[in-house]
Amino acid sequence: MNFLEEKILHEGTIKAGNVLKIDSFLNHQIDIDIMRQLANEIKRRFKGKEVNKILTIEASGIAIATMLASMYDVPVVFAKKSETANSTDNKYVAHAYSFTHKTMNNVFVSKPYLQADDKVLIVDDFLADGQAMHALIDIVHQAGGAVVGLAVAVEKGQQNGGKLLRDEGYHLESIAIVESMDWETQTIKFRKQTKHVSDTYNLKLVDE
Ligand code: 5GP
């Protein structure tokens, strides 16, 4: 089991509606040591790839993205969310349905912050249906930049986003992949990642 899977087992809770809550170290309070380990592991998995910008989406992706950017010594750009900003004046705009808020958002990046010669590593906290990732990819392509790869802390493998993105040919790295989770029993099962991660566990979560 890797450091992130262990942390999820100890501090995560499963909420109704297929939501994993990890507020104690990522989505509300931020555990800097875990962020450092995440950034290290992501950088290791993209070894040899040239990256000159990290792109994420507000809010929870920013912590991981910032730590990673400090390791590459490159800027972080975060896409902003808005339900109203339709204007494309000086912005790249894409659409994403929010899994957690159940709303359709426009997400945007101001044009000066993404360029055609950018080699972008896109990072987020969770990957579920892939809406946020697809919006960020769309924005990089609108700018004429290249997507070097995609990295998330937690992929919910029981949803389709990861499969879609891999089928589209993107290099996607997920530090923990949830195979299944059950709200009533508070159990979670991680997918074995043959290249990187040790084993598959099915343990009881510690509830709050
Ligand atoms: P997607 O766009 O892939 O459907 O969902 C990814 C986005 O929704 C992430 O940016 C994340 O903020 C949020 N999200 C999706 N599933 C979960 C979850 O189980 N827990 C938390 N905390 N956020 C989630």
Side-chain angles (χ1 to χ4, degrees), residues 13 15 17-23 26-27 56-61 81 96-101 123-136 152 154 156 158-159 161-162 165 181:
T13 50
K15 300 290 169 192
N18 197 28
V19 171
L20 178 61
K21 201 167 178 214
I22 50 175
D23 280 8
L26 182 54
N27 293 128
T56 188
I57 185 164
E58 66 179 0
S60 294
K81 292 177 189 166
Y97 182 76
S98 166
F99 179 82
T100 40
H101 297 107
V123 181
D124 203 3
D125 57 346
F126 275 88
L127 172 63
D129 294 326
Q131 291 270 326
M133 273 297 176
H134 278 110
L136 295 173
V152 293
V154 185
K156 293 195 300 181
Q158 70 276 44
Q159 291 178 249
L165 290 161
M181 59 186 194

Side-chain angles (χ1 to χ4, degrees), residues 145-182:
V147 175
V148 174
L150 316 171
V152 293
V154 185
E155 174 181 340
K156 293 195 300 181
Q158 70 276 44
Q159 291 178 249
N160 215 24
K163 182 177 178 343
L164 282 175
L165 290 161
R166 290 187 180 95
D167 287 350
E168 287 163 21
Y170 290 103
H171 178 180
L172 166 66
E173 293 288 348
S174 307
I175 310 307
I177 304 181
V178 176
E179 187 68 57
S180 59
M181 59 186 194
D182 184 69

